[in-house]
Amino acid sequence: MMPGQIAKFGNSAAQLLLGGLAALRSFGNGEKDSPAVGDNSRQDAVGLRDAVKQWREVFEHNPVMYFMVDPAGTVLNVNTFGAAQLGYTTAELIGKPVLNVFFEEDHDLVRQCIALCLTTVNQSHTWEIRKFRKDGSVLWVRENAKAMLRGDGMPILLVACENITQRKEAEDALRQSEAYLAQAQELSHTGSFGLSLATGEAIWSQETFRIFQCDLATKPTLNFVFQRIHPEDRDMVRRTLDRASRLAENFDHEYRLLMPDGSVKYLHSVARAVRRASGHIEFVGAISDVTIAKESEQRLRRSEAYLAEAQRLSQTSSWAWDVDRQQFAYRSTELYRLFGFEPDQVDVPARAFQQRILPEDFQRIVEVERQAVLRKEPFEVDFRIVRPDGSIRRVHTEGHPVVGSDGEVREIIGTHVDVTERVAAKEALQRAFDELKTSEQRFRDYAETASDWFWESGPDHRITQISEHTDAAGAAPTGLIGLTRWDIPPDAELDPGKWEQHRAALDAHLPFRDLVYRGRDRNGSPIYVRTSGKPLHDADGHFLGYRGVSSDVTAAIRAEQAEEALRIAQAELAHVTRVTTLGELTASIAHEVNQPLAAVISNADACIGWLGREPANLDAARRSVEWIVEDANRASEVIRRIRALAKKTEIEMVPLDINQVVREAMALVRHELATHSVSVRMELSSGLPRICGDRIQLQQVLINLVMNGIEAMQANVDRPRELAIRSTRVDEDGEGHLLLTVRDRGVGLGSDVADRIFTPFFTTKSGGLGMGLSICRSIIEAHAGRLSALSEEGSGATFRIALPFPHEDTS
Ligand code: ADP
């Protein structure tokens, strides 16, 4: 619109032009000649015309837009340049309202500017405003305007305008990129800063204010930053800054903030050292809030630690094999231990692992894996490892091929379970069974054939007579005449105490009963002999020796030994199956431990926050600590229970609240249930008397039944996967007992299976050991209880545990 000032001419140049324009005012548009008034006047008139011409030249062709506007806002004059800038000819603008070239929404502003100039005649004013060209495009101008009085006293407005469109666009672009930057900073939780260590002053971006949680009016200083830094990190940050400023070097560090609400933030800050002209060092950098990443990293590290612990307890290791590159993509710490490497020997090549596998087993594994990759199917394989100390470990492996987007197998992920003890226990158990079977047979044979024999010994205890056995198969030993009983190898050396006692009895001429010792039968085979004798005296009371009877008790003793071996093997197997179950529950356990620990950490942070306040909020801090103690107890309770399950302990029969035992066991399988989408209904009767039992063994039974139930419901599609656990008191024949049932809605037990499920080694699962239920039954029987199964085929199985209440409790 109106006269304005152009930066490139400077204010004074614009003023000059405005002055010149004022000089033109009495000549209208300068085209008419002035009236002649004498020679002098003519000369004056000529001079004036020249001046007008000059000014007109300046007016028309100066690259500044000039407008003359009357108080009503009508354009009185405009220079050619000004009109052309707007895409008009001068004639198109002159006589028209100047508002025509302004945006509708700016009209008020234009009117106000005109009014201002008119009320302050001869004062110039400057503003910036948009105009639109004839073609509709936008032109930004900076206008310098001034109202002047014409000779007739009418005010006119002179305006000089400078085109600032480019600058405006640059400013807009800058503003926009600043807005984008602010948005990007907000989204990435990254702020920027400038910091002068000499003055302690800082310049922050909006996001930096947000990170430090203070309003934009706060003046950011180094002091303020230090107040926010976590007390434990302040020294470290100070050292970093001191060093960076001393050596004028960049820095990159992480530290924590302790926020006013007690929460903790993790920051990562990177800065570049810049030397100012003054010689001072300043830092320009970025600061990111990495709390979320840190916390997930910590959580991850914690669960990795628990996983490692759980893998160690359950002797399970996990790995991923890169099929293309033929090397491990991942291996757990436990894998190193299994193969006899140090867990921190991270760079052991895959070949070194392979070389520890027995060569014939390795060939087999390679083939199994090749087939699995070809068919893209999971596989299981057993193999043996020879450790450097020569010991052999047996391993059971399960592998799953992972198919890439191109449909090819890229990786195999899998687990190795160290089954050495399990296999050994199974073999020992098998041997014990076989032994028991043979000794039963032998016992029967002996019982049919064996009989006692009689003997006599003299005063020196040497045998003088042995009755001849009538039956050829009889066991009475021969060749013993003249020997003492302790001369008969090899028992004498084995148990000297027993013989000392026996000899003392003989020397005292006392009778003896049921001495058992090892001897040999007439064929030289070792046998166990039981003998009793009484002293003989003559009429005068002189000691003559002993007379007695012996029998071969080998079969009975062997049977006892076999039973004992069976008991030990069973206990051993119960332990290894428990450990195996723990392996299956690894994820559950990590989850159970993780939860309370995460709570401990956040409460500890909160507590530090409460203590860091001025003054410290001790009540709140105490409450946080109480929660920490509760959660820490919860976590250590879980660990304790797992340790108890993993440890080999003597059976401990103590009064137990069965509902408590159930809840503890269920806590360990909670995650497993969730993973398999199994819901649990617990109906535990309250006020049940305590039962007498071993907590760990009863939990083992429950976990076993629950895991079997989960497996039995794997194939459920139309039935819900639901497990019901009930505890209740049952009174029969005046006797009360506890009934605990575990009911699933799985495949159920077919008649062909139902009779055999409690038989050792019976399993219908490919990887099953078939010992679970037989161990459960022997545990329950050791508690004087009964374990039975009911089933309607196709609608699930119910396992019933009946346990007696101790007498004092039932009364
Ligand atoms: P494993 O689980 O190693 O096979 P168990 O002794 O625990 O050994 O179980 C023996 C067999 O009993 C199983 O293989 C399965 O056929 C059957 N069985 C056990 N529990 C259930 C159940 N809840 N539902 C159906 N069948 C079951």
Side-chain angles (χ1 to χ4, degrees):
M1 86 172 209
M2 16 233 107
Q5 154 249 350
I6 306 164
K8 97 179 133 177
F9 285 89
N11 212 25
S12 52
Q15 292 302 327
L16 184 69
L17 283 166
L18 286 174
L21 282 173
L24 287 172
R25 74 184 188 274
S26 54
F27 296 92
N29 63 10
E31 269 168 20
K32 285 185 211 123
D33 280 349
S34 56
V37 268
D39 272 0
N40 271 352
S41 312
R42 181 161 295 120
Q43 265 180 7
D44 283 352
V46 169
L48 198 54
R49 205 172 22 250
D50 287 347
V52 167
K53 236 190 200 149
Q54 276 170 20
W55 280 113
R56 212 182 148 66
E57 277 300 296
V58 175
F59 176 68
E60 287 299 338
H61 302 296
N62 198 303
V64 178
M65 293 173 256
Y66 299 113
F67 289 83
M68 266 184 252
V69 180
D70 71 10
T74 308
V75 178
L76 298 176
N77 205 349
V78 56
N79 66 340
T80 312
F81 179 80
Q85 282 288 295
L86 290 167
Y88 295 99
T89 61
T90 52
E92 283 175 309
L93 292 176
I94 292 169
K96 305 275 164 40
V98 76
L99 286 178
N100 286 359
V101 294
F102 288 98
F103 283 88
E104 182 84 38
E105 58 266 39
D106 292 339
H107 284 186
D108 276 348
L109 177 66
V110 175
R111 287 194 197 97
Q112 282 164 20
C113 291
I114 296 176
L116 175 69
C117 291
L118 292 174
T119 50
T120 54
V121 174
N122 283 333
Q123 274 181 34
S124 50
H125 300 279
T126 306
W127 58 82
E128 289 177 359
I129 195 155
R130 292 172 302 171
K131 289 181 174 175
F132 63 86
R133 297 194 178 92
K134 193 173 175 184
D135 64 4
S137 61
V138 177
L139 183 74
W140 269 95
V141 290
R142 186 175 141 102
E143 300 192 326
N144 193 341
K146 184 180 194 175
M148 307 185 92
L149 292 181
R150 278 198 336 199
D152 58 5
M154 186 179 104
I156 57 158
L157 209 60
L158 306 175
V159 187
C161 324
E162 169 199 4
N163 181 351
I164 56 164
T165 311
Q166 258 184 355
R167 197 198 84 203
K168 272 285 178 196
E169 281 172 359
E171 271 175 17
D172 275 355
L174 189 66
R175 230 190 327 271
Q176 202 163 38
S177 70
E178 269 174 2
Y180 286 149
L181 184 68
Q183 237 166 31
Q185 290 202 347
E186 190 182 332
L187 283 175
S188 63
H189 300 290
T190 303
S192 48
F193 65 89
L195 173 67
S196 157
L197 289 181
T199 61
E201 280 177 6
I203 300 169
W204 283 357
S205 73
Q206 269 190 26
E207 186 57 23
T208 312
F209 278 97
R210 214 182 337 253
I211 290 174
F212 280 85
Q213 261 172 34
C214 52
D215 65 79
L216 297 172
T218 316
K219 190 170 163 48
T221 61
L222 202 55
N223 263 347
F224 176 78
V225 172
F226 270 99
Q227 274 169 28
R228 277 283 148 94
I229 293 178
H230 196 292
E232 288 170 17
D233 293 352
R234 281 182 197 151
D235 279 351
M236 186 246 317
V237 174
R238 199 165 281 127
R239 277 197 304 274
T240 307
L241 292 184
D242 284 353
R243 184 188 154 84
S245 98
R246 208 173 49 249
L247 305 175
E249 69 176 19
N250 305 341
F251 64 82
D252 178 339
H253 63 166
E254 282 191 3
Y255 56 90
R256 291 166 299 168
L257 296 187
L258 181 56
M259 307 316 288
D261 65 356
S263 62
V264 171
K265 266 190 191 178
Y266 288 84
L267 302 188
H268 178 201
S269 167
V270 188
R272 187 168 290 244
V274 181
R275 194 178 288 279
R276 291 283 170 229
S278 61
H280 286 135
I281 296 297
E282 283 183 19
F283 293 95
V284 180
I287 195 157
S288 322
D289 182 347
V290 291
T291 312
I292 295 172
K294 266 278 165 202
E295 281 176 357
S296 12
E297 184 189 313
Q298 279 176 351
R299 223 168 289 138
L300 194 70
R301 221 180 279 141
R302 266 202 311 272
S303 10
E304 266 178 7
Y306 298 136
L307 196 68
E309 168 80 357
Q311 289 205 340
R312 204 174 58 71
L313 281 173
S314 60
Q315 300 187 321
T316 309
S317 39
S318 43
W319 46 266
W321 180 252
D322 186 325
V323 175
D324 293 333
R325 290 156 63 208
Q326 286 292 298
Q327 63 186 37
F328 285 108
Y330 165 77
R331 41 198 171 174
S332 72
T333 317
E334 197 53 31
L335 192 76
Y336 289 85
R337 212 169 280 132
L338 173 65
F339 278 77
F341 294 107
E342 289 300 320
D344 48 11
Q345 255 179 290
V346 278
D347 50 357
V348 183
R351 207 167 5 92
F353 279 84
Q354 292 166 348
Q355 280 165 353
R356 293 208 173 159
I357 298 175
L358 275 187
E360 63 264 38
D361 288 0
F362 183 63
Q363 290 312 321
R364 205 159 33 81
I365 299 173
V366 171
E367 183 52 25
V368 170
E369 278 188 5
R370 203 178 62 80
Q371 292 293 336
V373 170
L374 226 63
R375 301 196 184 123
K376 306 185 176 96
E377 279 173 2
F379 64 91
E380 292 183 31
V381 63
D382 290 332
F383 65 91
R384 287 159 298 171
I385 294 170
V386 193
R387 290 212 186 129
D389 63 4
S391 64
I392 291 200
R393 306 303 299 177
R394 288 165 173 273
V395 179
H396 176 75
T397 283
E398 289 189 20
H400 294 257
V402 180
V403 178
S405 50
D406 57 355
E408 292 302 315
V409 173
R410 291 271 153 263
E411 254 184 23
I412 300 174
I413 55 171
T415 52
H416 286 342
V417 183
D418 184 343
V419 290
T420 316
E421 274 84 25
R422 192 163 100 182
V423 171
K426 187 176 165 179
E427 284 171 0
L429 191 70
Q430 192 71 62
R431 267 199 309 278
F433 266 115
D434 294 349
E435 183 87 355
L436 190 64
K437 248 192 256 150
T438 17
S439 54
E440 264 181 349
Q441 185 57 43
R442 207 185 292 155
F443 189 47
R444 235 176 269 124
D445 291 350
Y446 279 135
E448 282 164 10
T449 53
S451 57
D452 300 344
W453 65 90
F454 305 100
W455 53 265
E456 279 183 21
S457 56
D460 56 359
H461 307 310
R462 289 179 192 281
I463 292 169
T464 51
Q465 270 196 55
I466 288 187
S467 65
E468 268 304 319
H469 207 283
T470 46
D471 190 332
T478 50
L480 299 180
I481 307 287
L483 294 180
T484 63
R485 207 165 282 120
W486 49 91
D487 288 333
I488 305 167
D491 206 10
E493 293 92 52
L494 286 183
D495 193 353
K498 176 170 85 183
W499 290 110
E500 266 167 34
Q501 239 180 340
H502 180 58
R503 287 177 69 167
L506 294 188
D507 291 343
H509 305 158
L510 295 173
F512 63 91
R513 280 196 77 79
D514 294 338
L515 170 78
V516 175
Y517 65 97
R518 286 175 70 176
R520 290 189 184 279
D521 67 9
R522 62 179 57 185
N523 304 317
S525 308
I527 55 168
Y528 284 93
V529 177
R530 179 163 52 219
T531 184
S532 305
K534 63 177 204 170
L536 290 175
H537 297 93
D538 64 11
D540 301 330
H542 290 122
F543 174 67
L544 299 176
Y546 274 85
R547 181 177 290 153
V549 59
S550 291
S551 53
D552 177 355
V553 289
T554 313
I557 295 238
R558 286 269 151 77
E560 258 171 43
Q561 285 173 343
E563 266 171 36
E564 176 63 9
L566 186 68
R567 199 189 58 72
I568 293 172
Q570 248 169 353
E572 185 66 21
L573 195 71
H575 174 247
V576 289
T577 44
R578 225 159 46 219
V579 172
T580 313
T581 312
L582 278 182
E584 289 163 23
L585 292 177
T586 303
S588 261
I589 293 165
H591 187 82
E592 274 315 303
V593 183
N594 246 345
Q595 268 182 337
L597 283 186
V600 165
I601 286 166
S602 66
N603 276 320
D605 283 344
C607 180
I608 293 172
W610 295 123
L611 292 175
R613 290 228 166 155
E614 276 304 334
N617 186 339
L618 292 180
D619 279 344
R622 187 171 304 116
R623 226 174 16 251
S624 301
V625 172
E626 280 164 10
W627 288 333
I628 290 174
V629 172
E630 260 174 41
D631 284 318
N633 280 344
R634 244 174 76 207
S636 65
E637 183 58 17
V638 178
I639 296 268
R640 191 188 60 72
R641 272 187 247 138
I642 294 160
R643 289 242 161 83
L645 279 172
K647 229 166 61 188
K648 271 191 214 173
T649 41
E650 287 301 309
I651 295 172
E652 200 185 14
M653 294 296 220
V654 291
L656 294 173
D657 170 357
I658 194 71
N659 292 345
Q660 180 70 15
V661 174
V662 172
R663 281 191 211 102
E664 284 180 10
M666 294 313 286
L668 294 177
V669 289
R670 194 155 40 198
H671 194 70
E672 196 65 22
L673 290 159
T675 323
H676 292 91
S677 315
V678 173
S679 65
V680 178
R681 197 150 42 87
M682 300 247 257
E683 294 169 28
L684 305 180
S685 301
S686 55
L688 289 174
R690 287 168 174 255
I691 50 126
C692 183
D694 181 87
R695 181 185 299 273
I696 300 302
Q697 289 207 329
L698 291 178
Q699 281 182 2
Q700 177 171 6
V701 172
L702 272 162
I703 292 177
N704 233 313
L705 297 182
V706 169
M707 299 287 278
N708 276 347
I710 295 176
E711 248 173 293
M713 292 191 282
Q714 273 319 283
N716 280 19
V717 270
D718 48 355
R719 269 197 310 270
R721 295 182 183 176
E722 193 183 73
L723 208 65
I725 301 181
R726 293 184 66 199
S727 69
T728 172
R729 181 192 169 110
V730 174
D731 285 298
E732 278 167 10
D733 312 329
E735 280 274 323
H737 66 261
L738 169 83
L739 182 65
L740 190 64
T741 55
V742 178
R743 175 163 183 264
D744 63 60
R745 311 202 49 192
V747 287
L749 306 163
S751 53
D752 53 328
V753 172
D755 303 341
R756 293 148 72 201
I757 54 172
F758 293 106
T759 314
F761 305 117
F762 172 76
T763 179
T764 54
K765 303 170 191 167
S766 65
L769 193 57
M771 283 308 296
L773 289 176
S774 107
I775 290 171
C776 289
R777 181 171 261 183
S778 59
I779 289 176
I780 297 300
E781 283 174 355
H783 283 74
R786 275 171 36 78
L787 170 64
S788 53
L790 308 169
S791 172
E792 303 102 72
E793 191 172 359
S795 67
T798 305
F799 285 82
R800 291 164 52 102
I801 301 169
L803 288 169
F805 290 124
H807 284 292
E808 57 273 25
D809 273 343
T810 53
S811 57

